[in-house]
Amino acid sequence: MKNAKEPESVAIIHCIGSRDKDYKDYCSSVCCLVCAEFAHMIEKHSPEVKVYDIYADWCVPGKDNQAFWIP
């Protein structure tokens, strides 16, 4: 950070333009899992930082990956 301090909060924005018939009508099936892993990394290293996930819908394929999804 510019001021060398940890942020108070972080927003992770999912699905920018995907699943929109006028832009990209498909889902990569990867981004949500990567975002969830990133959120867990932030929470592990900086538990005082509030993480906000902004999404329209989750897509975390695979039964082993469902553990990353926390409503």
Side-chain angles (χ1 to χ4, degrees), residues 24-40:
K24 295 182 186 208
D25 60 353
Y26 61 87
C27 175
S28 72
S29 302
V30 175
C31 303
C32 287
L33 181 59
V34 172
C35 289
E37 291 172 344
F38 182 60
H40 281 275

Side-chain angles (χ1 to χ4, degrees), residues 4-21:
K5 294 182 181 178
E6 285 191 355
E8 294 178 14
S9 62
V10 173
I12 302 171
I13 304 172
H14 302 250
C15 300
I16 307 259
S18 69
R19 299 163 76 164
D20 178 349
K21 66 179 180 172

Side-chain angles (χ1 to χ4, degrees), residues 54-68:
I54 302 168
Y55 60 92
D57 191 14
W58 278 94
C59 180
V60 187
K63 65 178 183 175
D64 294 335
N65 296 332
Q66 294 297 321
F68 283 106

